[in-house]
């Protein structure tokens, strides 16, 4: 079963999900780019920040989710396209007639198991002297992910979720070395955010809108509810609320900004 995305559910934590994008963009010193592309633009709320930053640029938001692009089309002044990132990065791709001056990808590459192999092709789409900036989660060893894996590997769930999309990333030095080998100037770093969440099951609400969504959607009625109940209970234990009902969820993210040689 192919999963779909829910823009409203994703935007439930828009501020927390948006901060890494702002931190990434702050390290891109491009002044007057002509062509700017956001790969994996989601519902477009963050892509609009690119239009604010560079009002004279031709800005395109690309996402493989028709649901996300449908939500993004409410934002004017930006071109929106439904496309697979890997197709866009093909050497013979003709989506754009000009090289990209600023290429941004926020919390998207982790869905491509082979994204280290895709990165050189993305750099190829950047104009000489242009910028390529991306951010991926680096928290896949945390209970928010490992508990999903543990439950999904057991019967009766395993037979239904085998082969579903599961996000993963590499270490910062992996990205730094690859981009350096491509001849780029490189700035790579990591940050662990401490998100303060509230609600009955806030960590479940977070992961069920992103990393765990393909697994949950792959389960049939009945089993899906059982899986969710078990997952919620384990997450509550792993991320206990304090006396005021607040939950602190650490979230590590990995950032890379590369400038292509002029």
């Amino acid at each position: 079963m192919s999963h779909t995305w829910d823009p409203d559910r994703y935007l439930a934590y828009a501020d927390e999900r948006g901060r890494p994008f702002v931190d990434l963009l702050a390290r891109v010193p491009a002044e007057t780019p002509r062509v700017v592309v956001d790969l994996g633009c989601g519902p477009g709320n963050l892509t609009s920040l690119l239009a604010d930053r560079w009002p004279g640029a031709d800005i395109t938001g690309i996402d493989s989710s028709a649901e996300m692009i449908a939500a993004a089309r409410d934002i004017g002044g930006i071109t929106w396209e439904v496309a697979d990132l890997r197709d866009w990065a093909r050497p013979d791709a003709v989506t754009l007639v000009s090289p990209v001056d600023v290429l941004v990808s926020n919390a998207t590459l982790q869905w491509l198991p082979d994204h280290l192999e895709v990165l050189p092709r993305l750099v190829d789409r950047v104009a000489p002297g242009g910028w390529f900036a991306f951010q991926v989660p680096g928290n896949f060893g945390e209970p928010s992910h490992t508990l999903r894996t543990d439950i999904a590997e057991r019967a009766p769930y395993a037979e239904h979720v085998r082969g579903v999309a599961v996000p993963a990333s590499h270490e910062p030095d992996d990205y730094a070395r690859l981009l350096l080998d491509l001849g780029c100037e490189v700035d790579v770093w990591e940050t662990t955010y401490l998100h303060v969440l509230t609600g009955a099951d806030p960590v479940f609400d977070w992961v069920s809108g992103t990393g765990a969504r393909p697994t949950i959607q792959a389960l049939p009625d009945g089993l899906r509810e059982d899986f969710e109940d078990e997952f919620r209970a384990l997450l509550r234990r792993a991320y206990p609320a304090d006396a005021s009902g607040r939950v602190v969820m650490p979230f590590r993210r990995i950032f890379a900004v590369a400038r292509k040689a002029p």
Side-chain angles (χ1 to χ4, degrees), residues 18 23 34 38 45 65 89 111 119 134 138-139 202 205-206 211 254 257:
D23 292 346
R34 294 172 300 169
D38 183 2
N45 58 309
S65 167
W111 290 105
L119 287 178
F134 66 88
N139 66 331
D205 291 342
W206 180 295
I254 299 167
V257 175

Side-chain angles (χ1 to χ4, degrees), residues 221-244:
D221 293 345
L223 276 186
R224 184 182 305 116
E225 290 75 14
D226 292 343
F227 181 95
E228 290 181 345
D229 289 344
E230 189 172 355
F231 196 17
R232 289 176 194 270
L234 291 173
L235 287 172
R236 283 196 293 268
R237 218 175 298 166
Y239 300 92
D242 65 15
S244 299

Side-chain angles (χ1 to χ4, degrees), residues 156-199:
Y157 310 116
E159 64 177 294
H160 298 283
V161 302
R162 195 172 291 113
V164 299
V166 176
S169 63
H170 300 274
E171 290 302 307
D173 59 314
D174 295 320
Y175 297 117
R177 289 193 183 96
L178 187 153
L179 293 167
L180 286 168
D181 288 344
L182 293 172
C184 298
E185 297 177 13
V186 176
D187 181 11
V188 176
W189 72 98
E190 64 177 78
T191 298
T192 297
Y193 299 90
L194 297 177
H195 296 305
V196 180
L197 310 178
T198 58

Side-chain angles (χ1 to χ4, degrees), residues 16-207:
E16 290 86 353
R17 300 192 200 280
R19 182 177 170 186
F21 185 89
V22 174
D23 292 346
L24 178 69
L25 201 59
R27 299 293 297 168
V28 179
E31 295 182 357
T32 56
R34 294 172 300 169
V35 179
V36 178
V37 173
D38 183 2
L39 286 179
C41 64
N45 58 309
L46 298 177
T47 314
S48 66
L49 300 180
L50 301 176
D52 295 338
R53 170 82 178 271
W54 296 298
D58 177 4
I59 298 175
T60 300
I62 297 172
D63 201 284
S64 62
S65 167
E67 295 82 9
M68 288 293 197
I69 292 296
R73 292 195 195 281
D74 291 336
I75 302 171
I78 296 171
T79 300
W80 304 106
E81 296 182 14
V82 178
D84 188 290
L85 185 157
R86 286 162 293 199
D87 292 337
W88 185 88
R90 287 198 330 267
D92 60 343
V94 292
T95 304
L96 296 176
V97 296
S98 303
V100 180
D101 298 305
V102 177
L103 178 60
V104 179
S105 183
N106 183 63
T108 297
L109 294 173
Q110 73 274 10
W111 290 105
L112 305 181
D114 60 343
H115 68 262
L116 283 184
E117 299 173 17
V118 175
L119 287 178
R121 302 207 303 271
L122 294 178
V123 172
D124 284 345
R125 297 301 303 268
V126 177
W131 299 88
F132 174 35
F134 66 88
Q135 175 270 127
V136 291
N139 66 331
F140 299 111
E142 294 295 319
S144 55
H145 289 276
T146 59
L147 290 174
R148 182 215 64 82
T149 301
D150 292 344
I151 301 170
E153 288 177 346
R154 302 199 308 259
Y157 310 116
E159 64 177 294
H160 298 283
V161 302
R162 195 172 291 113
V164 299
V166 176
S169 63
H170 300 274
E171 290 302 307
D173 59 314
D174 295 320
Y175 297 117
R177 289 193 183 96
L178 187 153
L179 293 167
L180 286 168
D181 288 344
L182 293 172
C184 298
E185 297 177 13
V186 176
D187 181 11
V188 176
W189 72 98
E190 64 177 78
T191 298
T192 297
Y193 299 90
L194 297 177
H195 296 305
V196 180
L197 310 178
T198 58
D201 290 296
V203 179
F204 174 83
D205 291 342
W206 180 295
V207 300

